Amino acid sequence: MDQADVVSQFVALTNCNDTEASFYLEAANYNLDRAVAMFFDQPSQGLQHRSAAAAATQRAPQADAPPPQALQRQRRQRNGFLGQLFQLPLLVVRASLKLVFEVVHFGYKCTTTVGNIVLPRSVTRALQGAAESLLQGNRIEDPPRSAASFKQTMQQRYGTSCPEFLETSWQDAAAQAHRQYKFLLVYLHSADHEDTDQFCHQTLCDPTFTHYVSENFLCWGGDVRKTDAFTFSSMLHVSRYPYIGLLSGSGNRTKRVAASEGFATPADLMQVLQPAVEQHGAQFVADQADHNERVWCYFAQALMQCCVPW
């Protein structure tokens, strides 16, 4: 099956456009099951509808508030027998979903134990990946915990020569870099791409490149199978992995000043990063000088006030 057929199937399953379909499929290396799971795992798929509903509610004219006694009667009615009766189907659905996820979790354990012995490795990895995607959709991921897990996984797989990734969300990492007047180097990891292992061994964990990164940048990394990294890759419109980006600023002022998509050697990355540092690094120097001047003025005024006689 070629990529065009996979895109058509993805569009039919998710009702999205071809551009979005290509993005999700590229992130999953054209694994249809995993791409569909990543699409429906994203909170933004539901937030758009909730935001529209909230905006409509704000635009609607508000009626006069009923008297307190009427409100109390309404609350008693909602909390009565009929309210409990209407909540019963929701309780049944919630219990059913919990049972389904427990069954999937048990199946995942069985696949890990038995599949490694009976099934080919490629089949076992595909089944485990689908189960992990389903199980991850049932829990809210904590960005610092995901970042810490990613850092530990990278060190276990590629050694301790990897860059020193920050154990926080990418937003907090950008803010921390901005406070230190540094760029933030971002690495987005996709384990499904064939170039990922070679890139990590030969480029990302190269001692010379790692030393250059530690001397000039703060570093944040994430696995695109996790919510925080995948949402960030969507914002950056990443189309190929592995991905290296260089960010400046924080909050609404965060901007990308350099990027590299796909496999690259340490020399290739240096040719991308060094011109950006030279072009945009002067702003950090100016910001730091302005900050130091404001601090000096504050202490000078405080000292003058202390010295003025009453």
Side-chain angles (χ1 to χ4, degrees), residues 92-104:
V92 174
V93 172
R94 188 177 303 169
S96 301
L97 289 176
K98 183 177 181 180
L99 178 61
V100 169
F101 282 108
E102 291 296 333
V103 172
V104 172

PDB file of all heavy atoms in Angstrom, residues 92-104:
ATOM      1  N   VAL A  92     -22.538   3.835  34.129  1.00  0.00           N
ATOM      2  CA  VAL A  92     -22.363   2.563  33.436  1.00  0.00           C
ATOM      3  C   VAL A  92     -21.292   2.678  32.360  1.00  0.00           C
ATOM      4  O   VAL A  92     -20.416   1.809  32.222  1.00  0.00           O
ATOM      5  CB  VAL A  92     -23.709   2.098  32.829  1.00  0.00           C
ATOM      6  CG1 VAL A  92     -23.506   0.860  31.973  1.00  0.00           C
ATOM      7  CG2 VAL A  92     -24.710   1.811  33.933  1.00  0.00           C
ATOM      8  N   VAL A  93     -21.344   3.776  31.584  1.00  0.00           N
ATOM      9  CA  VAL A  93     -20.348   3.977  30.533  1.00  0.00           C
ATOM     10  C   VAL A  93     -18.954   4.111  31.137  1.00  0.00           C
ATOM     11  O   VAL A  93     -17.982   3.535  30.629  1.00  0.00           O
ATOM     12  CB  VAL A  93     -20.704   5.223  29.697  1.00  0.00           C
ATOM     13  CG1 VAL A  93     -19.570   5.561  28.734  1.00  0.00           C
ATOM     14  CG2 VAL A  93     -21.993   4.983  28.923  1.00  0.00           C
ATOM     15  N   ARG A  94     -18.835   4.860  32.241  1.00  0.00           N
ATOM     16  CA  ARG A  94     -17.531   5.046  32.865  1.00  0.00           C
ATOM     17  C   ARG A  94     -16.962   3.728  33.364  1.00  0.00           C
ATOM     18  O   ARG A  94     -15.776   3.431  33.187  1.00  0.00           O
ATOM     19  CB  ARG A  94     -17.664   6.040  34.024  1.00  0.00           C
ATOM     20  CG  ARG A  94     -16.345   6.460  34.646  1.00  0.00           C
ATOM     21  CD  ARG A  94     -16.578   7.488  35.730  1.00  0.00           C
ATOM     22  NE  ARG A  94     -17.278   8.646  35.208  1.00  0.00           N
ATOM     23  CZ  ARG A  94     -17.805   9.603  35.968  1.00  0.00           C
ATOM     24  NH1 ARG A  94     -17.696   9.531  37.283  1.00  0.00           N
ATOM     25  NH2 ARG A  94     -18.436  10.622  35.421  1.00  0.00           N
ATOM     26  N   ALA A  95     -17.814   2.917  33.979  1.00  0.00           N
ATOM     27  CA  ALA A  95     -17.357   1.611  34.460  1.00  0.00           C
ATOM     28  C   ALA A  95     -16.959   0.708  33.294  1.00  0.00           C
ATOM     29  O   ALA A  95     -15.987  -0.051  33.382  1.00  0.00           O
ATOM     30  CB  ALA A  95     -18.450   0.959  35.295  1.00  0.00           C
ATOM     31  N   SER A  96     -17.717   0.784  32.200  1.00  0.00           N
ATOM     32  CA  SER A  96     -17.396  -0.044  31.033  1.00  0.00           C
ATOM     33  C   SER A  96     -16.046   0.346  30.443  1.00  0.00           C
ATOM     34  O   SER A  96     -15.239  -0.519  30.072  1.00  0.00           O
ATOM     35  CB  SER A  96     -18.498   0.090  29.975  1.00  0.00           C
ATOM     36  OG  SER A  96     -19.761  -0.312  30.506  1.00  0.00           O
ATOM     37  N   LEU A  97     -15.800   1.662  30.327  1.00  0.00           N
ATOM     38  CA  LEU A  97     -14.515   2.112  29.794  1.00  0.00           C
ATOM     39  C   LEU A  97     -13.360   1.686  30.691  1.00  0.00           C
ATOM     40  O   LEU A  97     -12.293   1.280  30.201  1.00  0.00           O
ATOM     41  CB  LEU A  97     -14.517   3.636  29.649  1.00  0.00           C
ATOM     42  CG  LEU A  97     -15.402   4.201  28.538  1.00  0.00           C
ATOM     43  CD1 LEU A  97     -15.391   5.718  28.572  1.00  0.00           C
ATOM     44  CD2 LEU A  97     -14.942   3.712  27.168  1.00  0.00           C
ATOM     45  N   LYS A  98     -13.557   1.759  32.004  1.00  0.00           N
ATOM     46  CA  LYS A  98     -12.502   1.327  32.916  1.00  0.00           C
ATOM     47  C   LYS A  98     -12.209  -0.150  32.736  1.00  0.00           C
ATOM     48  O   LYS A  98     -11.054  -0.578  32.736  1.00  0.00           O
ATOM     49  CB  LYS A  98     -12.924   1.617  34.360  1.00  0.00           C
ATOM     50  CG  LYS A  98     -11.843   1.270  35.370  1.00  0.00           C
ATOM     51  CD  LYS A  98     -12.277   1.641  36.781  1.00  0.00           C
ATOM     52  CE  LYS A  98     -11.172   1.304  37.785  1.00  0.00           C
ATOM     53  NZ  LYS A  98     -11.582   1.661  39.169  1.00  0.00           N
ATOM     54  N   LEU A  99     -13.274  -0.954  32.547  1.00  0.00           N
ATOM     55  CA  LEU A  99     -13.090  -2.383  32.328  1.00  0.00           C
ATOM     56  C   LEU A  99     -12.332  -2.642  31.029  1.00  0.00           C
ATOM     57  O   LEU A  99     -11.435  -3.503  30.971  1.00  0.00           O
ATOM     58  CB  LEU A  99     -14.448  -3.082  32.304  1.00  0.00           C
ATOM     59  CG  LEU A  99     -14.423  -4.596  32.028  1.00  0.00           C
ATOM     60  CD1 LEU A  99     -13.635  -5.313  33.127  1.00  0.00           C
ATOM     61  CD2 LEU A  99     -15.844  -5.141  31.951  1.00  0.00           C
ATOM     62  N   VAL A 100     -12.664  -1.867  29.978  1.00  0.00           N
ATOM     63  CA  VAL A 100     -11.980  -2.045  28.690  1.00  0.00           C
ATOM     64  C   VAL A 100     -10.492  -1.765  28.834  1.00  0.00           C
ATOM     65  O   VAL A 100      -9.640  -2.523  28.334  1.00  0.00           O
ATOM     66  CB  VAL A 100     -12.607  -1.124  27.622  1.00  0.00           C
ATOM     67  CG1 VAL A 100     -11.736  -1.096  26.365  1.00  0.00           C
ATOM     68  CG2 VAL A 100     -14.010  -1.611  27.277  1.00  0.00           C
ATOM     69  N   PHE A 101     -10.153  -0.676  29.514  1.00  0.00           N
ATOM     70  CA  PHE A 101      -8.738  -0.342  29.662  1.00  0.00           C
ATOM     71  C   PHE A 101      -8.003  -1.349  30.531  1.00  0.00           C
ATOM     72  O   PHE A 101      -6.826  -1.629  30.316  1.00  0.00           O
ATOM     73  CB  PHE A 101      -8.588   1.068  30.244  1.00  0.00           C
ATOM     74  CG  PHE A 101      -8.798   2.156  29.233  1.00  0.00           C
ATOM     75  CD1 PHE A 101      -9.938   2.948  29.262  1.00  0.00           C
ATOM     76  CD2 PHE A 101      -7.860   2.392  28.242  1.00  0.00           C
ATOM     77  CE1 PHE A 101     -10.134   3.945  28.326  1.00  0.00           C
ATOM     78  CE2 PHE A 101      -8.048   3.389  27.307  1.00  0.00           C
ATOM     79  CZ  PHE A 101      -9.190   4.163  27.344  1.00  0.00           C
ATOM     80  N   GLU A 102      -8.681  -1.918  31.524  1.00  0.00           N
ATOM     81  CA  GLU A 102      -8.048  -2.957  32.321  1.00  0.00           C
ATOM     82  C   GLU A 102      -7.769  -4.190  31.476  1.00  0.00           C
ATOM     83  O   GLU A 102      -6.717  -4.826  31.600  1.00  0.00           O
ATOM     84  CB  GLU A 102      -8.948  -3.322  33.518  1.00  0.00           C
ATOM     85  CG  GLU A 102      -9.067  -2.226  34.571  1.00  0.00           C
ATOM     86  CD  GLU A 102      -7.734  -1.946  35.244  1.00  0.00           C
ATOM     87  OE1 GLU A 102      -6.890  -2.857  35.297  1.00  0.00           O
ATOM     88  OE2 GLU A 102      -7.552  -0.816  35.717  1.00  0.00           O
ATOM     89  N   VAL A 103      -8.711  -4.540  30.593  1.00  0.00           N
ATOM     90  CA  VAL A 103      -8.513  -5.692  29.706  1.00  0.00           C
ATOM     91  C   VAL A 103      -7.355  -5.430  28.746  1.00  0.00           C
ATOM     92  O   VAL A 103      -6.511  -6.300  28.497  1.00  0.00           O
ATOM     93  CB  VAL A 103      -9.810  -6.011  28.931  1.00  0.00           C
ATOM     94  CG1 VAL A 103      -9.556  -7.066  27.863  1.00  0.00           C
ATOM     95  CG2 VAL A 103     -10.895  -6.483  29.890  1.00  0.00           C
ATOM     96  N   VAL A 104      -7.311  -4.191  28.192  1.00  0.00           N
ATOM     97  CA  VAL A 104      -6.212  -3.855  27.276  1.00  0.00           C
ATOM     98  C   VAL A 104      -4.876  -3.906  28.002  1.00  0.00           C
ATOM     99  O   VAL A 104      -3.864  -4.387  27.459  1.00  0.00           O
ATOM    100  CB  VAL A 104      -6.445  -2.458  26.666  1.00  0.00           C
ATOM    101  CG1 VAL A 104      -5.221  -2.010  25.873  1.00  0.00           C
ATOM    102  CG2 VAL A 104      -7.670  -2.482  25.761  1.00  0.00           C
TER     103      VAL A 104
END
